[in-house]
């Protein structure tokens, strides 16, 4: 791979025959980001390109775990009644300096307050610009939960909640809560171009944005003023490569050093290649087929369960995941606390499925199955999965048409409450809490967003997950979530398909990379051995 000379290296070359060379790491990304403002989006592809590189949050998850640790906030405390959370900020965090912005001060409480006001204050110019489409914030009911945010002093911020919320601090470690520069974004408003915050981002993170060539490459450089210290690599490139086979070819040729989402069929050969290392672990994820529960005949639980029984999930595991996964029966993965292993899955039984459809008065059903155009940790090949479903459904008299769209458009259309048919999607947990699956993906607040594409709003389920949010005792919360899984299975808003194993291939000279159980790809602390 061609390397570039730093300015210091050029000077050294003039004095010595041994120039200082910049280290460049190329990551063969699976897709293009929707933008660079993580508050606006919900996809891992976008978060990898924005929040994981450019930004920081008040708290973060220790690498390789779901355990919280300080980030921009050096400490925090929760009041006895659970209604006030006070964060004490570091005083040495600087926003990035670029050719389009030079900060006049370090990060302070004003930036933290601004970050959340732009998602909840209808008078904020960024709320107006986005038309309030902050999907995570909305689907988690954060606007109703946060009663006020108070500036105690320049480095102390207090969140006052309307009710206790057990996962609140962990939620602030999620990508949507990345801290923005108030000074930069107000400058853009004054210049009449606020939309540039989504195209020329400014954060406090380990890398700063240089440029983006649409659908081709994103370039970053190490942030020299990063509060944890400059990164071992000088340049980071996301080479956008949607095809898994092409990513593998680039990895073998040394054109990239890290790639996500290999074809399961290629993993064994990768492991046998002396130049490649393959990290792996069970994913904190679920793949599913979500029915639009507001549309006939999918508004009937018995119809949804019949369709579930018509689909051979084990055949999908065998053909698509090729052993790198297991069938799913619950909306949360088995590695997560509160998982209800007593749940009985809908068994593959096409004869019974056909009878159930007839009993429900469903004849000659024609439906659409949406197949994602990209690979995700939870779904290696949505098109092949849809084809297998199509064949299974035909056996019970259901005609299934497969449709797809460009990834951003796919999510935009899926967020429409009136979308047709059933959507293949999935989820990798953001914070290790069951609320992040059941609350984000299946709550009434998520209806009309790309999180709750089943448009599922069922009060017995809602009551359980909302009560669970207010409790501190994890055992008590777990009881409620186990009950919620029972209700979920009775109502069947999804056909829960699979929990996958995550593989991360990279060249042998890459060090310091850790698989994120929450599905992200971070290059903080990653190095390349010479």
């Amino acid at each position: 791979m061609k390397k570039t000379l730093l300015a210091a290296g050029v000077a050294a070359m003039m004095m010595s025959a041994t120039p200082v060379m910049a280290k460049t790491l190329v990551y063969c990304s699976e897709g293009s980001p929707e933008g660079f403002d993580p508050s606006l989006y919900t996809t891992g592809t976008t978060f990898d390109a924005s929040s994981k590189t450019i930004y920081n949050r008040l708290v973060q998850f220790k690498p390789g775990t779901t355990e919280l640790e300080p980030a921009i906030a050096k400490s925090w405390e929760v009041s006895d009644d659970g209604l006030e959370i006070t964060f004490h900020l570091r005083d040495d965090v600087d926003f990035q300096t670029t050719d389009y912005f030079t900060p006049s001060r370090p990060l302070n409480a004003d930036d933290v307050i601004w970050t959340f006001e732009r998602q909840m204050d209808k008078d904020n110019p960024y709320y107006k610009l986005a038309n309030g489409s902050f999907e995570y914030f909305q689907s988690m009911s954060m606007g109703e939960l946060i009663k006020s945010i108070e500036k105690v002093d320049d480095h102390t911020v207090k969140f006052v909640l309307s009710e206790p919320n057990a996962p609140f601090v962990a939620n602030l470690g999620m990508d949507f809560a990345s801290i923005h520069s108030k000074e930069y974004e107000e400058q853009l408003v004054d210049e009449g171009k606020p939309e540039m915050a989504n195209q020329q981002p400014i954060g406090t993170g380990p890398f700063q944005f240089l440029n983006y060539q649409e659908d081709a490459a994103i370039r970053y450089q190490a942030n020299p003023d990063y509060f944890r210290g400059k990164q071992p690599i000088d340049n980071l490139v996301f080479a956008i490569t949607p095809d898994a086979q092409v990513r593998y070819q680039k990895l073998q040729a040394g054109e990239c050093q890290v790639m996500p989402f290999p074809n399961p069929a290629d993993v064994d050969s990768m492991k046998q290649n002396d130049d490649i290392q393959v990290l792996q672990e069970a994913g904190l994820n679920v793949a599913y087929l979500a029915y639009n529960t507001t549309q006939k005949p999918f508004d009937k639980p018995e119809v949804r369960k019949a369709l579930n029984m018509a689909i051979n999930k084990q055949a999908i595991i065998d053909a698509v995941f090729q052993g790198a996964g297991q069938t799913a029966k619950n909306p949360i993965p088995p590695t997560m606390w509160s998982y209800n292993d007593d749940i009985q899955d809908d068994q593959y039984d096409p004869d019974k499925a056909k009878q159930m459809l007839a009993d429900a008065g469903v004849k000659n059903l024609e439906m659409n199955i949406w197949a994602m155009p990209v690979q995700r940790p939870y779904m290696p090949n949505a098109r092949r999965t849809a084809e297998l479903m199509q064949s299974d459904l035909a056996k019970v008299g259901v005609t299934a048409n497969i449709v797809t769209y460009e990834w951003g458009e796919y999510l935009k259309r899926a967020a429409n409450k009136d979308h047709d048919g059933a959507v293949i999607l999935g989820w990798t947990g953001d914070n290790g809490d069951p609320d992040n699956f059941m609350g984000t993906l299946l709550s009434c607040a998520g209806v009309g967003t790309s999180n709750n594409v089943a448009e599922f709003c069922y009060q017995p389920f809602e009551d359980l997950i909302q009560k669970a949010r207010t409790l501190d005792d994890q055992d008590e919360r777990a009881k409620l979530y186990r009950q919620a899984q029972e209700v979920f299975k009775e109502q069947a808003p999804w056909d829960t398909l699979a929990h996958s194993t995550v593989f991360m291939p990279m060249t042998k000279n890459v060090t310091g990379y850790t698989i994120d159980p929450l599905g992200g790809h971070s290059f903080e602390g990653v190095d390349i051995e010479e």
Side-chain angles (χ1 to χ4, degrees), residues 58 85 87 109-118 120 137 142 146-152 156-161 168 172:
L58 287 170
I85 300 95
F87 292 91
D110 293 332
D111 301 301
V112 175
I113 294 171
W114 171 264
T115 292
F116 294 95
E117 282 187 344
R118 72 201 293 280
M120 61 190 290
F137 197 86
M142 294 290 279
I146 300 174
K147 190 174 181 180
S148 65
I149 311 175
E150 301 174 5
K151 178 180 178 179
V152 179
T156 312
V157 179
K158 181 191 292 183
F159 286 78
V160 181
L161 307 185
F168 182 76
L172 298 189

Side-chain angles (χ1 to χ4, degrees), residues 215-237:
D215 298 332
I218 315 167
R219 291 175 173 82
Y220 311 85
Q221 68 181 21
N223 176 6
D225 302 318
Y226 188 44
F227 65 90
R228 292 194 185 96
K230 181 189 170 298
Q231 295 302 296
I233 56 174
D234 302 288
N235 304 300
L236 175 64
V237 179

